[in-house]
Amino acid sequence: MEIMLGRSKAEINLITDALGEKSYRAAQIHKSLHAGLEFSEMTDLSKTLREKLAENYIAQPVKIIKTLKSADGTEKFLFLLGDGNVIEGVLMRYKYGNTLCVSTQVGCRMHCAFCASGIDGLIRNLEAGEILGEVVSVNRYLSGGVGDKRKVTNVVLMGSGEPLDNYDNTVKFIRLLSEEGGLNISARNVSLSTSGLVPAMYALGKENLPVTLTVSLHSPFDAERQKIMPVAKKYSIAEILAACSDYFAHTGRRYIFEYVLIRGENDTERHAAALVSLLKGRPCHVNLIRLNEVKENNLKSGTEKQAYAFSAFLEKGGISATVRRKMGEDIEGACGQLRRRFLEEGNNQGVKFERADI
Ligand code: SAH
């Protein structure tokens, strides 16, 4: 069955027209979908219409089937998709609002050495409505509504998958987030993280979407970066930096580099010094992330002290840098970990496509 969430009001209008309904019904349905309602809950529609819609369409393509809450308030979600695939997201609570980290693909084909998401490769892309479904379902879980009543205020595309490897759906999703009548989350409150797919970075700059571009750098040296991230064999650091400059020229927005600190691999003074020369004078910020160790590889995290020393070195060299606060460590916070555990334990057998009673 086809998914209804993610269709524009005009697209829904075509469906209601075909069913002989008045056009204001499309706006009602659109609003209810973005608020996370199933057709059966859309009580402002006639029962016949609700039933007709439910016969032909899936209203909500993403169901929350499990949540894990950390002592620090961070919450992990396991989402079930219509075809039985499982993805995950993370909610981080800050003073200024709630940020949801969403997945853009089931699995990932980037195979970064430290990451649990890509171990089994890419299974499939998510549709725009499915990525939106992650936000809509968590917003409802938090008792949020549409527009000013939303409880999810910021979105980061940093969950499983490579957003720019699923370009069209990702861009459509960002536009849906800010659609009138929907959650009304502006692209300014969206960060997109990429492993550095250069042609797509250029394309994104031309979309007229002021998202914060975040690039996973992880090394200032091409040869070493290639060992951490196979995709680095395709695009050099110089090409990535040129694409960042182009993004800045189009959007005027400072870009961010993510740098996962892996003990002994990319966290020495040699690396910090090279990063300073590489990034000096650029309108950028470096987000240092202490590795979340995953059992599938032998990479180790350094100490907190080492991370702060690395950060101080960058700052002294004139590069704006912060160490990302570790959140949700007690709940398998790293990308793809929760999903892997869930599948390994065989929990997906016989899971019904419906919202869990949570
Ligand atoms: N494919 C995109 C987005 C998903 S990964 C990208 O590469 O940017 C987003 C970020 O998750 C990566 O930059 C990395 O910083 C982080 N990440 C993944 N696995 C991690 C782990 N085991 N420990 C710490 N951070 C991790």
Coordinates of all heavy atoms in Angstrom, one line a residue, residues 39-89:
F39 N -5.8 7.1 10.1 CA -7.1 7.5 9.5 C -8.2 7.4 10.5 O -9.1 8.2 10.6 CB -7.4 6.7 8.3 CG -6.4 7.1 7.1 CD1 -5.7 6.1 6.5 CD2 -6.3 8.4 6.7 CE1 -4.8 6.4 5.5 CE2 -5.4 8.7 5.6 CZ -4.6 7.7 5.1
S40 N -8.2 6.2 11.3 CA -9.3 6.0 12.2 C -9.4 7.0 13.3 O -10.5 7.2 13.9 CB -9.1 4.6 12.8 OG -7.9 4.6 13.5
E41 N -8.4 7.8 13.5 CA -8.4 8.8 14.5 C -8.9 10.2 14.0 O -9.0 11.1 14.7 CB -7.1 9.0 15.2 CG -6.6 7.7 15.9 CD -5.2 7.8 16.4 OE1 -4.3 8.1 15.5 OE2 -4.9 7.6 17.6
M42 N -9.0 10.3 12.7 CA -9.4 11.6 12.0 C -10.9 11.8 12.1 O -11.6 11.7 11.1 CB -8.9 11.6 10.6 CG -7.3 11.5 10.5 SD -6.8 11.6 8.8 CE -5.1 11.1 9.0
T43 N -11.3 12.1 13.3 CA -12.8 12.1 13.6 C -13.5 13.3 13.0 O -14.7 13.4 13.0 CB -13.0 12.1 15.1 OG1 -12.2 13.1 15.7 CG2 -12.7 10.7 15.7
D44 N -12.7 14.3 12.4 CA -13.3 15.4 11.6 C -13.7 14.9 10.2 O -14.3 15.7 9.5 CB -12.4 16.6 11.6 CG -11.0 16.4 11.1 OD1 -10.7 15.2 10.9 OD2 -10.3 17.3 11.0
L45 N -13.4 13.7 9.9 CA -13.8 13.1 8.6 C -15.0 12.2 8.8 O -15.1 11.6 9.9 CB -12.7 12.4 7.9 CG -11.3 13.1 7.8 CD1 -10.3 12.1 7.1 CD2 -11.4 14.4 7.0
S46 N -15.7 12.0 7.7 CA -16.8 11.0 7.9 C -16.2 9.6 8.0 O -15.1 9.3 7.5 CB -17.7 11.0 6.6 OG -17.0 10.5 5.5
K47 N -17.0 8.7 8.6 CA -16.5 7.3 8.8 C -16.2 6.7 7.5 O -15.2 6.0 7.3 CB -17.6 6.6 9.6 CG -17.1 5.2 10.1 CD -17.8 4.8 11.4 CE -17.3 3.5 11.9 NZ -17.9 2.3 11.2
T48 N -17.1 6.9 6.5 CA -16.9 6.3 5.2 C -15.6 6.8 4.6 O -14.9 6.0 4.0 CB -18.1 6.8 4.2 OG1 -19.2 7.1 5.0 CG2 -18.4 5.7 3.2
L49 N -15.3 8.1 4.7 CA -14.1 8.6 4.1 C -12.9 7.9 4.8 O -11.9 7.5 4.1 CB -14.0 10.1 4.1 CG -12.7 10.8 3.6 CD1 -12.4 10.4 2.2 CD2 -12.8 12.3 3.7
R50 N -12.9 7.9 6.1 CA -11.8 7.3 6.9 C -11.6 5.9 6.4 O -10.4 5.5 6.2 CB -12.2 7.3 8.4 CG -11.9 8.6 9.1 CD -12.2 8.4 10.5 NE -13.5 8.9 10.8 CZ -14.3 8.6 11.9 NH1 -13.8 7.7 12.7 NH2 -15.4 9.1 12.1
E51 N -12.6 5.1 6.2 CA -12.5 3.7 5.8 C -11.9 3.6 4.4 O -11.1 2.8 4.1 CB -13.8 3.0 5.9 CG -14.2 2.7 7.4 CD -15.6 2.2 7.6 OE1 -16.4 2.1 6.6 OE2 -15.9 2.0 8.8
K52 N -12.4 4.5 3.5 CA -11.9 4.4 2.1 C -10.5 4.7 2.1 O -9.7 4.1 1.4 CB -12.7 5.5 1.3 CG -13.9 4.9 0.6 CD -14.4 5.9 -0.5 CE -15.9 5.8 -0.6 NZ -16.5 7.1 -1.0
L53 N -10.0 5.7 2.8 CA -8.6 6.1 2.9 C -7.8 4.9 3.4 O -6.7 4.6 2.9 CB -8.4 7.3 3.7 CG -8.9 8.6 3.1 CD1 -8.9 9.8 4.1 CD2 -8.2 9.0 1.8
A54 N -8.3 4.3 4.5 CA -7.5 3.3 5.1 C -7.4 2.0 4.3 O -6.5 1.2 4.4 CB -8.2 2.9 6.5
E55 N -8.4 1.8 3.4 CA -8.4 0.7 2.5 C -7.2 0.8 1.5 O -6.7 -0.2 1.0 CB -9.7 0.6 1.7 CG -10.7 -0.3 2.3 CD -12.1 0.0 1.6 OE1 -12.1 0.2 0.4 OE2 -13.1 0.0 2.3
N56 N -6.9 2.1 1.1 CA -6.0 2.3 0.0 C -4.6 2.8 0.4 O -3.7 2.7 -0.4 CB -6.6 3.2 -1.0 CG -7.8 2.6 -1.6 OD1 -7.7 1.6 -2.3 ND2 -9.0 3.2 -1.4
Y57 N -4.5 3.4 1.6 CA -3.3 4.0 2.0 C -2.9 3.7 3.4 O -3.7 3.5 4.3 CB -3.4 5.6 1.9 CG -3.7 6.0 0.5 CD1 -5.0 6.3 0.1 CD2 -2.7 6.2 -0.5 CE1 -5.3 6.7 -1.2 CE2 -3.0 6.6 -1.7 CZ -4.3 6.9 -2.1 OH -4.6 7.3 -3.4
I58 N -1.5 3.8 3.6 CA -1.0 3.8 5.0 C -0.9 5.3 5.4 O -0.3 6.1 4.7 CB 0.4 3.1 5.0 CG1 0.3 1.7 4.6 CG2 1.1 3.3 6.4 CD1 1.6 1.0 4.4
A59 N -1.5 5.6 6.6 CA -1.4 7.0 7.0 C 0.0 7.3 7.6 O 0.7 8.1 7.1 CB -2.4 7.3 8.1
Q60 N 0.4 6.5 8.6 CA 1.7 6.7 9.3 C 2.6 5.5 8.9 O 2.4 4.4 9.3 CB 1.5 6.7 10.8 CG 0.5 7.8 11.3 CD 1.1 9.2 10.9 OE1 2.3 9.4 10.8 NE2 0.2 10.2 10.8
P61 N 3.7 5.8 8.2 CA 4.5 4.7 7.7 C 5.6 4.3 8.7 O 6.3 3.3 8.5 CB 5.3 5.4 6.5 CG 5.3 6.8 6.9 CD 4.0 7.1 7.7
V62 N 5.6 4.9 9.9 CA 6.6 4.6 10.9 C 6.0 4.4 12.3 O 5.2 5.3 12.7 CB 7.6 5.8 11.0 CG1 8.6 5.6 12.2 CG2 8.4 5.9 9.7
K63 N 6.2 3.3 12.9 CA 5.6 3.0 14.2 C 6.8 2.9 15.2 O 7.7 2.2 14.9 CB 4.8 1.7 14.2 CG 4.0 1.5 13.0 CD 2.7 2.3 13.0 CE 1.8 1.9 11.8 NZ 0.9 2.9 11.3
I64 N 6.6 3.5 16.4 CA 7.6 3.4 17.4 C 7.3 2.0 18.1 O 6.2 1.7 18.5 CB 7.5 4.5 18.5 CG1 7.7 5.8 17.8 CG2 8.4 4.2 19.7 CD1 7.4 7.0 18.8
I65 N 8.3 1.1 18.1 CA 8.1 -0.2 18.7 C 8.9 -0.4 20.0 O 8.6 -1.3 20.8 CB 8.4 -1.4 17.8 CG1 9.7 -1.2 17.1 CG2 7.2 -1.5 16.8 CD1 10.1 -2.5 16.4
K66 N 9.9 0.5 20.2 CA 10.6 0.4 21.4 C 11.3 1.7 21.8 O 11.7 2.4 20.9 CB 11.7 -0.7 21.2 CG 12.4 -1.2 22.5 CD 13.4 -2.3 22.1 CE 14.3 -2.4 23.3 NZ 14.6 -3.7 23.8
T67 N 11.3 2.0 23.0 CA 12.1 3.2 23.4 C 13.0 2.9 24.6 O 12.7 2.0 25.4 CB 11.2 4.4 24.0 OG1 10.5 3.9 25.2 CG2 10.1 4.7 23.0
L68 N 14.1 3.5 24.6 CA 15.1 3.3 25.7 C 15.5 4.7 26.2 O 15.9 5.6 25.4 CB 16.4 2.7 25.2 CG 16.4 1.2 24.9 CD1 17.8 0.8 24.4 CD2 16.1 0.4 26.2
K69 N 15.3 4.9 27.5 CA 15.6 6.3 28.0 C 16.9 6.2 28.9 O 17.1 5.4 29.7 CB 14.4 6.7 28.9 CG 14.4 8.2 29.1 CD 13.0 8.7 29.5 CE 13.1 10.2 29.6 NZ 11.7 10.7 29.9
S70 N 17.7 7.2 28.6 CA 19.0 7.3 29.3 C 18.8 8.1 30.6 O 17.9 8.9 30.7 CB 20.0 8.0 28.4 OG 21.1 8.5 29.2
A71 N 19.7 8.0 31.5 CA 19.6 8.7 32.8 C 19.7 10.2 32.4 O 19.2 11.1 33.2 CB 20.8 8.3 33.7
D72 N 20.4 10.6 31.3 CA 20.5 12.1 31.0 C 19.4 12.6 30.2 O 19.4 13.7 29.7 CB 21.9 12.3 30.3 CG 22.0 11.6 28.9 OD1 20.9 11.3 28.4 OD2 23.1 11.5 28.5
G73 N 18.3 11.8 30.0 CA 17.1 12.3 29.4 C 17.1 11.9 27.9 O 16.1 12.0 27.2
T74 N 18.2 11.6 27.3 CA 18.3 11.2 25.9 C 17.5 9.9 25.7 O 17.5 9.0 26.6 CB 19.8 10.9 25.6 OG1 20.5 12.0 25.8 CG2 19.9 10.5 24.1
E75 N 16.8 9.8 24.6 CA 15.9 8.7 24.4 C 16.1 8.1 23.0 O 16.3 8.8 22.1 CB 14.5 9.2 24.6 CG 13.5 8.1 25.0 CD 12.2 8.6 25.6 OE1 12.1 9.8 25.9 OE2 11.3 7.9 25.8
K76 N 16.2 6.8 23.0 CA 16.4 6.1 21.7 C 15.1 5.5 21.3 O 14.4 5.0 22.1 CB 17.5 5.0 21.8 CG 18.8 5.5 21.5 CD 19.6 4.5 20.7 CE 20.1 5.2 19.4 NZ 21.2 4.5 18.8
F77 N 14.8 5.5 20.0 CA 13.6 4.9 19.4 C 13.9 3.9 18.4 O 14.8 4.1 17.6 CB 12.8 6.0 18.8 CG 12.3 7.1 19.7 CD1 13.1 8.2 20.0 CD2 11.0 6.9 20.3 CE1 12.6 9.1 20.9 CE2 10.6 7.9 21.2 CZ 11.4 9.0 21.5
L78 N 13.3 2.8 18.5 CA 13.3 1.8 17.4 C 12.0 2.0 16.6 O 10.9 2.0 17.2 CB 13.4 0.4 17.9 CG 14.7 -0.3 18.0 CD1 14.4 -1.8 18.3 CD2 15.5 -0.2 16.7
F79 N 12.1 2.2 15.3 CA 11.0 2.4 14.5 C 10.8 1.2 13.6 O 11.7 0.7 13.0 CB 11.2 3.6 13.6 CG 11.5 4.9 14.3 CD1 12.7 5.5 14.2 CD2 10.5 5.5 15.0 CE1 13.0 6.7 14.8 CE2 10.7 6.8 15.6 CZ 12.0 7.4 15.5
L80 N 9.5 0.8 13.4 CA 9.2 -0.3 12.4 C 8.6 0.4 11.2 O 7.8 1.3 11.2 CB 8.2 -1.2 13.1 CG 7.8 -2.4 12.2 CD1 8.9 -3.4 12.0 CD2 6.6 -3.1 12.9
L81 N 9.1 -0.1 10.0 CA 8.5 0.3 8.7 C 7.5 -0.7 8.2 O 7.5 -1.8 8.6 CB 9.7 0.5 7.7 CG 10.8 1.4 8.2 CD1 12.0 1.4 7.2 CD2 10.3 2.8 8.4
G82 N 6.8 -0.2 7.2 CA 5.7 -1.1 6.6 C 6.2 -2.4 6.1 O 5.5 -3.4 6.1
D83 N 7.5 -2.5 5.6 CA 8.0 -3.7 5.1 C 8.7 -4.6 6.1 O 9.4 -5.6 5.7 CB 8.9 -3.4 3.9 CG 10.1 -2.7 4.3 OD1 10.3 -2.3 5.5 OD2 11.0 -2.4 3.4
G84 N 8.6 -4.2 7.4 CA 9.2 -5.0 8.4 C 10.6 -4.6 8.8 O 11.2 -5.1 9.7
N85 N 11.2 -3.7 8.0 CA 12.5 -3.2 8.3 C 12.5 -2.3 9.6 O 11.4 -1.7 9.9 CB 13.1 -2.3 7.2 CG 13.9 -3.2 6.2 OD1 14.8 -3.9 6.6 ND2 13.5 -3.1 4.9
V86 N 13.6 -2.3 10.3 CA 13.7 -1.5 11.5 C 14.8 -0.4 11.4 O 15.8 -0.7 10.9 CB 14.0 -2.5 12.7 CG1 14.1 -1.7 14.0 CG2 13.0 -3.6 12.8
I87 N 14.5 0.8 11.9 CA 15.5 1.8 11.9 C 15.5 2.5 13.3 O 14.6 2.1 14.1 CB 15.2 2.9 10.8 CG1 13.7 3.4 10.9 CG2 15.5 2.4 9.4 CD1 13.4 4.6 10.1
E88 N 16.4 3.4 13.5 CA 16.4 4.0 14.8 C 16.6 5.5 14.8 O 17.1 6.0 13.8 CB 17.5 3.3 15.7 CG 18.9 3.5 15.2 CD 19.9 2.7 16.0 OE1 20.0 1.5 15.8 OE2 20.6 3.3 16.8
G89 N 16.3 6.1 15.9 CA 16.4 7.6 16.0 C 16.8 7.9 17.4 O 16.6 7.1 18.3

